[in-house]
Amino acid sequence: MGSNNNMNENVLSAVDSTTRARLKVKKLLNKKALAKSKFKRQPSDANREKYASIRNHCNKVCRIANRQHIHNSVQNGDTSKIWSFLRSLGVGKTRQESIPKDLDIDAMNYHFTASSKFDRTVKLNTLDYLSALPTPSYSPFVFSEFSACDVKKSILSITSNAVGSDCISRKMLLPVLDIILPVICHILNFSASNGVFPCSWKDAQIIPLPKKSNPSSFSEYRPISVLPFLSKVLERLIYNQLSSFLYKHNLLNPFQSGFRPGHSTTTALLNITDDIRSAMETSNLTVLALLDFSNAFNTVDYDVLLGILRSLNISPSVIDWFRSYLLDRRQRICIGETLSSWCSTSAGVPQGGVLSPLLFAVFINSISNELVSSYHLYADDLQIYSRAPLGNLSEAIITINRDLARICEWSKKYGLTVNPTKTQVIVVGSSRMVSRIDWTTLPQISFDNSIIPFSDKVKNLGIFIDKNFSWTAQLQEVSRKLYASAASLRRLRNFLPTATKIALAQSLLLPILDYADASYLDLTQEQLDKLERLQNFCIRFIFGLRKYDRVSDFRVKLKWLPIRLRRNAHILSLLYNVLFSPFTPLYLKKRFEFLCNSHSKLLRSSENLRLKMPIHTTTFFDKSFTVQAARLWNDLPVTIKRAQSLPVFKKLVRDHYLSL
């Protein structure tokens, strides 16, 4: 009882302290205003000095009060509330604010729901082709009953607190979850067994996010669907069963890296960049084409998607459920408190749905069936590339053109549209080989009768690749983004507690340095020094250091690795997943082999878990992920290699490098 009284007294004391501070600031502001007014009426030296003294004292008290307010708001509080408070101070992205207030949201909603023209005859031919495909030999896919444990796990796995059109939120359900769980289980199982998706769960609130700053047209916004919470719970359960079926029978494209466990933009980039380095190893050039689909998720045709699902031996009862899930959907734009009218959707999978990425991956699965060039997919991002020596570069371009024609034909057949104006093409190779290209004699790249010019640099899944693989443009972009992200933080550097500044640096600044860093390992020492200076900038922000203050001791205090060792740690973490995770993409797994697997005898390398070093003769491939990862792995102590999980491995690697 006594402890409760003490707690209440402390709370009241804190409240009284805050109230007193506010009254003090308000009193000083009034005093400052009076002194300023008096000085303007009677501009004497004495009045000026008195006003300056009061003004300086008032500003000092305001700074202290502001610092104390920020400290109180970010310490010992809920993480989500802290971030909400920091965003109110201008920290982090606020893209919603860039939406014009006079935007015609009804016209925008109509734009989002207007499906592209799909020739009816072409569509019928596509459906006939899909229905004529032979039935696979494996058993058809049917839904299994959802257990209470599965449903609860699905509910807890969805962390978003967004509220859909039915006004039922995650926060509303969790306190009474154990009581209403049997009812929720019954509803979800009834939906799956009867092939009916609840109508009220088909309504989506659309938040338009600008794709770039100052958008000038509706096409420069991305419609993100906020769906009812329970609809996402059901989608998660269906997703788990369908994805297990697809993985079991290897039905997804092996080079599709979008929204799959163990796959990412980084794994896709590692595969592509190492293929380019492999070509450079043999003095070959790589012709790389990056294709952009227009509004791909929103133009998926329902009938074609259902036809594709049937061709994968999805049972009729499950097809009925998916038909109910896809048809008769509505959406409206929601910007703050302003709502547009409802519009019905006739095509597309909702961006924001749990099932949408998987359904789109299934839809686009067959686009690569007839391609001759190498290719890679990340959701709707498709890139194709062909390698050839300088003398055969024209033939490689002709191969790319033929594959682009096949992609154009497939797109028309399945109702998607490629935007030629956003398609990019580049020839990548060593500076010696690129300088010898006679551009005037090369064939032109064309897509659907549109000429696509060769670029000196392209942006590929978030990183810049230039024609000489020099990474100059990429480092410029990393530097620009880091300083831009730090701009809103620097205003608050004297007000935030150190722990908060560390959290901000680790969540907003370091990810810019770390993103896909293992895909560009062929940096010069000068370029690595530049990255080191960027990391040092983050340390100076945290501890309020000046430009030329030494940061080594502070980096040790943070337990951060120097940039070279930091990148090594990222390489090894990726490699650990490649070697031991069952979800790792095969296109990376096949690049590595344990030495013991290449011998029939029991050797010392079996105990040391040494990897076979890839054969290479030039520095081009020596700086590849494949070679660097194998080399770093072989240099590790065997106790680290035998770590039982990725978190343990990461900790051991970091401690190992810190000890160096």
Side-chain angles (χ1 to χ4, degrees):
M1 192 72 174
S3 62
N4 288 338
N5 289 335
N6 290 335
M7 186 183 298
N8 292 335
E9 287 175 6
N10 290 337
V11 172
L12 290 173
S13 176
V15 172
D16 291 342
S17 176
T18 303
T19 304
R20 285 196 300 271
R22 286 177 179 172
L23 291 173
K24 182 180 179 181
V25 169
K26 191 172 182 180
K27 186 177 179 181
L28 279 172
L29 287 171
N30 290 333
K31 192 174 180 180
K32 173 184 165 183
L34 289 172
K36 182 178 182 180
S37 178
K38 185 176 181 180
F39 171 61
K40 283 188 174 182
R41 291 197 314 270
Q42 303 172 14
S44 64
D45 291 343
N47 286 341
R48 185 180 66 238
E49 289 179 9
K50 185 177 181 180
Y51 164 64
S53 175
I54 295 172
R55 179 199 62 198
N56 293 343
H57 177 60
C58 180
N59 290 347
K60 182 180 179 181
V61 171
C62 286
R63 281 196 299 271
I64 293 172
N66 200 10
R67 185 180 293 113
Q68 188 61 46
H69 169 64
I70 293 174
H71 271 250
N72 294 339
S73 300
V74 299
Q75 284 185 323
N76 303 321
D78 179 70
T79 305
S80 61
K81 291 180 180 178
I82 291 174
W83 275 107
S84 178
F85 171 73
L86 290 172
R87 287 193 189 95
S88 72
L89 299 179
V91 174
K93 294 182 179 180
T94 54
R95 301 178 75 179
Q96 190 75 16
E97 295 177 3
S98 62
I99 299 176
K101 293 182 179 179
D102 59 347
L103 191 69
D104 188 343
I105 56 177
D106 284 318
M108 173 183 272
N109 198 27
Y110 178 78
H111 168 80
F112 286 152
T113 54
S115 59
S116 59
K117 294 181 180 179
F118 191 179
D119 185 90
R120 180 168 177 77
T121 303
V122 174
K123 177 178 173 178
L124 291 174
N125 289 337
T126 302
L127 293 174
D128 289 341
Y129 164 77
L130 292 171
S131 63
L133 291 174
T135 303
S137 58
Y138 47 80
S139 301
F141 170 69
V142 293
F143 289 140
S144 302
E145 185 176 353
F146 311 131
S147 67
C149 182
D150 292 334
V151 174
K152 186 173 183 178
K153 186 177 179 180
S154 177
I155 290 173
L156 296 177
S157 70
I158 300 172
T159 57
S160 172
N161 290 316
V163 181
S165 58
D166 62 350
C167 299
I168 297 176
S169 67
R170 180 177 184 270
K171 290 182 178 180
M172 186 186 299
L173 293 178
L174 289 185
V176 294
L177 181 57
D178 291 335
I179 300 172
I180 64 173
L181 187 60
V183 178
I184 295 175
C185 287
H186 173 73
I187 294 171
L188 303 186
N189 278 308
F190 184 87
S191 169
S193 60
N194 288 273
V196 177
F197 190 80
C199 292
S200 60
W201 292 355
K202 297 182 184 182
D203 292 341
Q205 309 263 40
I206 302 296
I207 298 177
L209 293 183
K211 296 179 183 178
K212 62 179 184 179
S213 57
N214 302 316
S216 58
S217 64
F218 295 150
S219 59
E220 293 175 350
Y221 290 87
R222 180 175 288 106
I224 302 299
S225 301
V226 178
L227 299 166
F229 176 75
L230 286 174
S231 77
K232 290 187 284 188
V233 172
L234 178 54
E235 284 190 52
R236 174 72 65 186
L237 294 164
I238 300 296
Y239 174 92
N240 291 339
Q241 293 190 13
L242 178 61
S243 60
S244 296
F245 172 79
L246 296 173
Y247 296 146
K248 178 182 178 181
H249 299 291
N250 297 317
L251 297 178
L252 285 180
N253 196 309
F255 292 100
Q256 170 63 270
S257 296
F259 310 105
R260 296 176 67 179
H263 298 61
S264 65
T265 53
T266 298
T267 62
L269 287 166
L270 290 177
N271 188 57
I272 295 157
T273 53
D274 270 19
D275 279 352
I276 294 173
R277 290 187 187 94
S278 178
M280 294 167 69
E281 168 87 2
T282 54
S283 299
N284 283 346
L285 296 159
T286 302
V287 184
L288 173 65
L290 310 175
L291 285 83
D292 180 82
F293 285 93
S294 300
N295 211 15
F297 273 65
N298 292 335
T299 52
V300 170
D301 185 86
Y302 297 149
D303 294 327
V304 173
L305 175 57
L306 293 173
I308 293 171
L309 291 172
R310 284 192 202 92
S311 71
L312 300 178
N313 208 10
I314 305 295
S315 67
S317 61
V318 175
I319 292 293
D320 289 341
W321 186 91
F322 275 108
R323 181 183 292 106
S324 176
Y325 168 78
L326 293 168
L327 299 181
D328 301 322
R329 285 186 167 271
R330 300 189 307 168
Q331 67 179 47
R332 64 181 178 186
I333 305 290
C334 177
I335 301 177
E337 300 296 324
T338 307
L339 299 172
S340 72
S341 303
W342 288 103
C343 276
S344 298
T345 59
S346 57
V349 288
Q351 294 191 48
V354 177
L355 272 169
S356 300
L358 185 62
L359 291 177
F360 185 82
V362 169
F363 186 83
I364 203 172
N365 210 35
S366 62
I367 195 170
S368 62
N369 283 357
E370 297 180 11
L371 296 183
V372 176
S373 307
S374 301
Y375 69 93
H376 210 104
L377 282 158
Y378 188 86
D380 61 335
D381 287 313
L382 170 62
Q383 46 197 297
I384 60 173
Y385 51 102
S386 182
R387 292 157 287 185
L390 179 63
N392 295 338
L393 187 58
S394 294
E395 285 80 355
I397 292 174
I398 291 171
T399 299
I400 291 289
N401 274 328
R402 288 172 178 165
D403 280 339
L404 289 175
R406 293 183 181 101
I407 292 168
C408 181
E409 182 182 353
W410 183 95
S411 301
K412 292 176 180 177
K413 184 177 176 181
Y414 284 81
L416 296 185
T417 305
V418 176
N419 187 349
T421 61
K422 290 187 178 181
T423 297
Q424 305 173 85
V425 179
I426 189 172
V427 178
V428 185
S430 66
S431 56
R432 182 177 67 88
M433 297 302 297
V434 172
S435 65
R436 294 171 58 189
I437 297 175
D438 184 358
W439 298 96
T440 59
T441 61
L442 292 181
Q444 292 180 312
I445 298 280
S446 64
F447 184 88
D448 200 16
N449 299 320
S450 296
I451 301 300
I452 303 170
F454 291 102
S455 303
D456 289 334
K457 64 178 181 181
V458 295
K459 189 173 184 180
N460 186 7
L461 297 178
I463 70 168
F464 282 93
I465 296 175
D466 58 46
K467 61 183 180 181
N468 295 324
F469 237 39
S470 69
W471 303 110
T472 302
Q474 172 61 13
L475 290 196
Q476 289 174 347
E477 179 66 7
V478 168
S479 180
R480 184 196 68 78
K481 289 177 71 174
L482 189 137
Y483 284 123
S485 297
S488 61
L489 303 180
R490 296 182 71 179
R491 293 185 297 104
L492 303 171
R493 64 185 182 276
N494 296 324
F495 296 93
L496 295 171
T498 301
T500 302
K501 287 192 283 187
I502 293 172
L504 288 171
Q506 289 177 330
S507 58
L508 298 179
L509 302 182
L510 290 185
I512 298 171
L513 282 177
D514 296 342
Y515 174 70
D517 57 356
S519 64
Y520 54 100
L521 300 176
D522 31 14
L523 298 180
T524 64
Q525 293 302 315
E526 183 181 352
Q527 289 173 323
L528 286 168
D529 288 342
K530 182 174 183 178
L531 288 177
E532 192 75 68
R533 289 193 294 272
L534 291 174
Q535 181 174 269
N536 291 346
F537 169 81
C538 299
I539 298 172
R540 290 191 173 94
F541 158 73
I542 291 170
F543 293 104
L545 304 177
R546 293 172 298 179
K547 184 176 181 180
Y548 295 106
D549 289 342
R550 291 179 61 84
V551 301
S552 303
D553 293 339
F554 294 96
R555 186 175 59 229
V556 172
K557 187 177 180 180
L558 290 169
K559 294 187 177 181
W560 288 6
L561 295 169
I563 202 68
R564 290 162 176 81
L565 295 179
R566 184 181 184 88
R567 289 161 69 85
N568 288 353
H570 295 158
I571 294 167
L572 288 168
S573 297
L574 284 165
L575 178 58
Y576 184 91
N577 259 342
V578 170
L579 296 175
F580 302 116
S581 171
F583 301 110
T584 300
L586 289 176
Y587 57 76
L588 288 185
K589 197 177 281 288
K590 69 181 182 181
R591 294 179 180 271
F592 300 95
E593 182 183 5
F594 285 107
L595 270 175
C596 59
N597 294 339
S598 59
H599 300 284
S600 57
K601 297 180 180 179
L602 185 64
L603 303 176
R604 185 180 299 173
S605 60
S606 304
E607 297 179 0
N608 293 339
L609 293 177
R610 292 185 64 82
L611 289 172
K612 186 177 180 181
M613 284 298 295
I615 299 172
H616 60 285
T617 57
T618 69
T619 56
F620 295 124
F621 201 67
D622 186 68
K623 297 297 184 181
S624 66
F625 171 76
T626 307
V627 173
Q628 290 290 315
R631 182 178 292 135
L632 290 171
W633 177 269
N634 288 341
D635 289 341
L636 283 178
V638 69
T639 52
I640 298 178
K641 297 178 191 176
R642 293 187 181 279
Q644 295 300 305
S645 67
L646 181 60
V648 173
F649 178 79
K650 284 183 175 180
K651 184 181 184 305
L652 292 174
V653 168
R654 190 185 68 165
D655 292 345
H656 170 67
Y657 281 141
L658 283 173
S659 69
L660 299 177

